Amino acid sequence: MATLYVGNLPWSTKAEDLQNAFAQHGEVLSSRVITDRETGRSRGFGFVEVNDADAEKMIAALNGTDFGGRAITVNEAKSREAGQV
């Protein structure tokens, strides 16, 4: 399994929107849009978990493409360092 970071998302993006966009290019295991803890509003980025075999294909197909009027950034997510909040 690989986790892809998706940045520069429109504020209105839902997890289902990410799932639908990425599913056209391979198997999506899960998707989530990160929200602000206090306001509940989108923070403009999210993560999509996909099969390792599909990850590079999805990055190549979707990085820099238009999603809801914005050019999204798609790359392999970096693991969080211990102690990072």
Side-chain angles (χ1 to χ4, degrees):
M1 178 181 72
T3 302
L4 303 181
Y5 164 84
V6 186
N8 201 32
L9 292 172
W11 304 120
S12 60
T13 303
K14 305 279 185 252
E16 301 82 44
D17 301 329
L18 280 182
Q19 178 136 5
N20 292 337
F22 280 76
Q24 296 174 32
H25 302 281
E27 184 179 1
V28 175
L29 305 175
S30 72
S31 62
R32 64 188 187 278
V33 174
I34 306 305
T35 55
D36 184 281
R37 287 185 189 140
E38 294 178 16
T39 65
R41 283 189 39 177
S42 168
R43 293 186 56 201
F45 69 96
F47 297 94
V48 180
E49 292 181 332
V50 301
N51 278 333
D52 285 330
D54 296 327
E56 290 300 321
K57 181 172 64 171
M58 289 180 175
I59 292 170
L62 294 166
N63 187 38
T65 60
D66 181 82
F67 186 87
R70 299 182 75 165
I72 60 171
T73 299
V74 181
N75 54 45
E76 192 154 354
K78 297 170 180 41
S79 61
R80 294 178 75 167
E81 297 295 325
Q84 185 181 19
V85 177

